[in-house]
Amino acid sequence: MVAVFTYTGIGTACADTGETTKSYDFDNKVHYKQTKIGTNNYKIEIQSDDYKHFANQSMFLLRHADRLCRGKTFMLKVLEGVQEYKRFPTKPRAYQPPLNVLLQCEEN
């Protein structure tokens, strides 16, 4: 007997306006909050993690935006949280704010 389980983020696209959902993406190991702020408009907050994890967070953001917009063209506006690149930090990094973005899906 074979069991198949599928997890997709599509279910969060149907949230009511103003409702914030907290989720975890297992593939990229990303904790995030998502708020639907209007038709085809979302605010996404990705919790900051260690420095090396920023690439995963960025990749997750692009894939999640594409999934929410169902393959349509979208626009991301970064509000805060882009981490500066330092190959060899000489001191511990200061607290980094979460990566906050606004997502707007094109309506076709």
Side-chain angles (χ1 to χ4, degrees):
M1 180 163 145
V2 177
V4 178
F5 296 95
T6 304
Y7 173 77
T8 62
I10 299 297
T12 59
C14 299
D16 292 331
T17 301
E19 181 180 330
T20 299
T21 57
K22 293 181 182 181
S23 297
Y24 182 76
D25 180 82
F26 290 94
D27 292 335
N28 293 292
K29 298 178 179 76
V30 171
H31 290 273
Y32 67 99
K33 295 178 189 175
Q34 176 179 300
T35 305
K36 185 171 184 178
I37 56 176
T39 305
N40 297 321
N41 293 295
Y42 302 87
K43 180 179 181 213
I44 302 170
E45 178 181 301
I46 300 173
Q47 300 303 306
S48 64
D49 202 336
D50 62 24
Y51 180 74
K52 294 177 277 188
H53 197 207
F54 183 70
N56 288 24
Q57 295 167 346
S58 302
M59 184 60 65
F60 159 78
L61 178 62
L62 292 173
R63 289 180 176 155
H64 187 66
D66 187 60
R67 195 168 40 240
L68 282 175
C69 294
R70 297 182 174 111
K72 295 179 185 175
T73 304
F74 60 86
M75 180 176 60
L76 292 168
K77 181 178 181 181
V78 177
L79 303 174
E80 68 176 335
V82 174
Q83 296 180 9
E84 184 179 321
Y85 176 76
K86 290 185 181 178
R87 184 176 170 122
F88 299 110
T90 56
K91 55 186 173 184
R93 287 187 323 118
Y95 168 77
Q96 294 291 322
L99 179 60
N100 280 297
V101 299
L102 294 176
L103 167 64
Q104 181 178 5
C105 305
E106 248 186 40
E107 297 179 33
N108 290 343

